[in-house]
């Protein structure tokens, strides 16, 4: 028999798993569909920001998350031809967590899934891929799924697309995101980190090159920024050219670049920056990357996805207990999350235009822009980028109500009747 559920969430990433956990805690019957057999991926961001750590605290998951191998980083530095400047100091935040935590996303998702599967109304179906939508009278009534036992239909009061920037449900619904473009793509690889090396996030700018070294304790997670569509050119030039470029830009990594044996050790992230004009159609809601693909600048994509999920769970819990959320309820989520999404993307577009693009196009050594030099000289100002990156423009909380939720949905129902 085909299953029925209150909410069918497609995608077991940060947005989908967090929303499933939060709704199940409120007694909502939830089914999460994850097309893979596990949470491991070639590339998944692994930043957990202070506002997300606050949510884990509220959920009682801080201890479980702390047991996962991780690295807490309190500052972001940038290095130009004229020196190194600290531009973000997370320890200055008035927050419980004055740092960004780096941990494998597979472990982060396992913490959420471990808590969710203990709840009676939660089901996680791995190796189940959404292939279509069930529609009746202009309303989405569920999802068509291909699993190990063939095709089945999961009927639901509400379906949620949390299936990433290449969302299948978005295509099936006929929605096209607004594209803002990005001047770069990113190559990812690991290099050993020597004892006594500088700690934290270290970004290096050189002629035609940008490199971010992420302190992961025993190794650096390296993001090597290349011009948009330049992946084939880099691979055609050969691995030795890439090694030499890294060693020339960051001499302290010269002894480690041989660890990148070939391009099998290098993953490519195609950067996109877009968002939907509307995040819902009747019976179907979009959150996370399915609603807005973020640039890797600031590493804020996961944080925004988690905030989407917290907002959606807070607004949807009551209407789901009363029946099927109407279009106005779904639109309320979009309206609340539009400002932090659009505002963050505006900041990323500005950084792309005035920082990344000129650096990638330069042929001579480049000095730090005046604003970054000012941040480096005035430590008190370093809390501003730290707050934008670590907390966000509109952080969401579970709320003070029963089981950690407030009741904004009741006010909404009163207004709309």
């Amino acid at each position: 028999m085909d299953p029925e559920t209150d909410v069918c969430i497609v995608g077991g990433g940060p947005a989908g798993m967090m929303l499933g956990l939060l709704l199940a805690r409120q007694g909502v019957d939830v089914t999460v569909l994850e097309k893979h057999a596990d949470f491991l991926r070639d590339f998944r961001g692994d930043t957990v920001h202070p506002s997300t750590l606050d949510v884990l605290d509220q959920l009682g998951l801080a201890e479980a998350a702390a047991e996962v191998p991780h690295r807490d980083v309190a500052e972001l530095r940038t290095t130009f031809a004229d020196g190194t400047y600290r531009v973000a100091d997370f320890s200055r935040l008035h927050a419980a967590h004055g740092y960004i935590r780096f941990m494998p996303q597979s472990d982060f998702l396992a913490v959420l899934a471990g808590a969710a599967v203990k709840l009676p109304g939660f089901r996680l179906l791995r190796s189940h891929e959404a292939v279509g939508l069930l529609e009746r009278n202009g309303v989405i009534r569920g999802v068509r799924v291909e699993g190990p036992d063939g095709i089945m239909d999961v009927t639901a009061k509400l379906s949620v697309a949390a299936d990433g920037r290449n969302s299948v449900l978005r295509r099936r619904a006929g929605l096209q995101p607004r594209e803002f473009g990005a001047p770069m793509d990113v190559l990812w690889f690991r290099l050993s980190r020597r004892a006594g090396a500088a700690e934290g996030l270290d970004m290096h700018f050189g002629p035609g090159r940008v490199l971010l070294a992420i302190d992961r304790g025993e190794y650096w997670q390296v993001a090597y920024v290349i011009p948009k569509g330049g992946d084939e050119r880099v691979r055609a030039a050969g691995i030795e050219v890439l090694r030499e470029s890294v060693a020339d830009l960051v001499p302290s990594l010269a002894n480690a670049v041989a660890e990148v044996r070939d391009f099998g050790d290098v993953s490519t992230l195609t950067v996109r920056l877009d968002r939907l004009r509307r995040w819902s159609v009747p019976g179907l809601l979009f959150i996370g990357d399915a609603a807005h693909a973020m640039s890797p600048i600031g590493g804020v994509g996961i944080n925004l996805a988690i905030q989407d999920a917290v907002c959606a769970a807070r607004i949807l819990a009551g209407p789901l207990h009363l029946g099927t959320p109407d279009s106005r309820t779904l639109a309320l989520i979009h309206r609340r999350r539009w400002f932090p999404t659009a505002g963050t993307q505006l900041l990323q577009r500005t950084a792309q235009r005035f920082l990344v693009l000129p650096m990638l196009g330069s042929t001579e050594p480049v000095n730090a822009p005046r604003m970054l030099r000012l941040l480096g000289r005035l430590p008190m100002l370093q809390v501003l980028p730290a707050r934008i990156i670590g907390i966000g423009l509109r952080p969401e909380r579970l709320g003070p109500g029963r089981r950690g939720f407030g009741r904004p949905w009741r006010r909404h129902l009163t207004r709309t009747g």
Side-chain angles (χ1 to χ4, degrees):
M1 175 180 288
D2 290 337
E4 296 183 5
T5 187
D6 290 336
V7 179
C8 179
I9 300 172
V10 177
M17 289 304 306
M18 180 61 77
L19 179 59
L21 169 61
L22 295 179
L23 289 177
R25 282 167 55 90
Q26 294 302 290
V28 175
D29 193 69
V30 179
T31 298
V32 176
L33 306 175
E34 169 54 52
K35 69 178 181 179
H36 297 95
D38 54 45
F39 293 129
L40 297 173
R41 303 291 179 274
D42 289 338
F43 169 79
R44 266 188 154 168
D46 50 10
T47 55
V48 183
H49 290 227
S51 57
T52 299
L53 291 169
D54 286 345
V55 172
L56 295 180
D57 289 347
Q58 290 180 280
L59 291 172
L61 297 177
E63 184 175 344
E67 292 175 354
V68 173
H70 63 272
R71 183 74 164 176
D72 293 336
V73 171
E75 64 178 35
L76 168 62
R77 298 181 303 276
T78 58
T79 299
F80 292 82
D82 58 341
T84 297
Y85 303 87
R86 184 173 62 183
V87 297
D89 185 354
F90 299 97
S91 68
R92 291 180 174 272
L93 291 172
H94 295 293
H97 305 277
Y99 48 82
I100 288 180
R101 176 165 293 176
F102 290 89
M103 59 190 296
Q105 191 177 124
S106 56
D107 292 334
F108 174 71
L109 295 174
V111 169
L112 299 182
V117 296
K118 297 176 183 178
L119 302 172
F122 181 90
R123 286 175 299 282
L124 172 60
L125 300 182
R126 301 179 188 266
S127 301
H128 284 73
E129 181 175 7
V131 295
L133 293 167
L134 307 178
E135 182 179 347
R136 186 167 65 249
N137 298 326
V139 179
I140 304 302
R141 301 296 187 183
V143 179
R144 179 150 292 167
V145 182
E146 184 175 358
D149 299 323
I151 299 293
M152 68 177 183
D153 290 342
V154 179
T155 58
K157 296 178 182 177
L158 175 68
S159 300
V160 179
D163 51 343
R165 60 184 57 201
N166 298 312
S167 172
V168 171
L169 296 195
R170 190 171 65 193
R171 292 198 303 271
R172 295 292 183 266
L175 299 185
Q176 292 290 332
R178 180 184 178 186
E179 299 275 355
F180 296 103
M184 76 285 196
D185 291 325
V186 179
L187 304 180
W188 289 89
F189 49 90
R190 295 183 180 187
L191 295 176
S192 296
R193 180 176 172 275
R194 296 176 304 165
E199 298 181 354
L201 297 167
D202 205 356
M203 182 168 282
H204 297 260
F205 293 86
R209 293 165 294 174
V210 180
L211 182 149
L212 173 64
I214 302 169
D215 175 5
R216 295 298 302 272
E218 296 182 354
Y219 65 91
W220 294 106
Q221 184 73 52
V222 177
Y224 185 86
V225 180
I226 60 175
K228 183 56 130 180
D231 182 55
E232 290 187 6
R233 292 192 298 274
V234 171
R235 293 175 184 269
I239 196 66
E240 186 58 35
V241 173
L242 177 61
R243 292 182 191 140
E244 291 175 357
S245 178
V246 172
D248 179 62
L249 183 60
V250 191
S252 62
L253 297 179
N255 292 331
V257 293
E259 296 170 8
V260 183
R261 297 163 298 178
D262 53 43
F263 282 103
D265 295 328
V266 180
S267 297
T268 302
L269 170 66
T270 301
V271 177
R272 289 172 53 185
L273 189 62
D274 64 38
R275 69 174 179 266
L276 289 176
R277 292 175 173 83
R278 55 187 178 121
W279 291 17
S280 63
V281 297
L284 175 63
L285 173 69
F286 297 85
I287 62 172
D289 280 4
H292 48 75
M294 310 300 292
S295 165
I297 293 173
V300 296
I302 296 173
N303 196 46
L304 281 165
I306 293 291
Q307 299 302 308
D308 288 352
V310 173
C311 172
R314 192 176 62 242
I315 290 174
L316 290 172
L320 283 165
H321 282 301
L322 298 176
T324 300
D326 61 19
S327 296
R328 288 175 292 183
T329 302
L330 300 184
L332 187 63
I333 298 167
H334 181 196
R335 286 200 299 272
R336 178 165 177 83
R337 295 303 302 160
W338 181 89
F339 167 70
T341 301
T344 302
Q345 288 184 331
L346 177 60
L347 293 173
Q348 290 184 326
R349 291 160 60 192
T350 301
Q352 288 180 168
R353 180 179 178 182
F354 294 104
L355 184 61
V356 176
L357 189 58
M359 297 301 160
L360 291 178
S362 66
T363 58
E364 300 293 334
V366 180
N367 293 335
R370 182 179 302 175
M371 179 58 70
L372 294 187
R373 294 200 302 270
L374 180 63
L375 286 171
R377 288 197 301 267
L378 299 176
M380 291 180 59
L381 296 181
Q382 295 167 12
V383 71
L384 298 177
R387 179 170 179 81
I388 292 170
I389 294 171
I391 304 298
L393 298 181
R394 176 175 280 167
E396 303 283 351
R397 294 183 59 82
L398 303 189
R402 180 174 176 267
R403 297 186 188 178
F405 279 83
R407 297 180 176 83
W409 54 272
R410 287 190 174 177
R411 295 193 297 272
H412 175 60
L413 290 178
T414 300
R415 289 195 304 268
T416 62

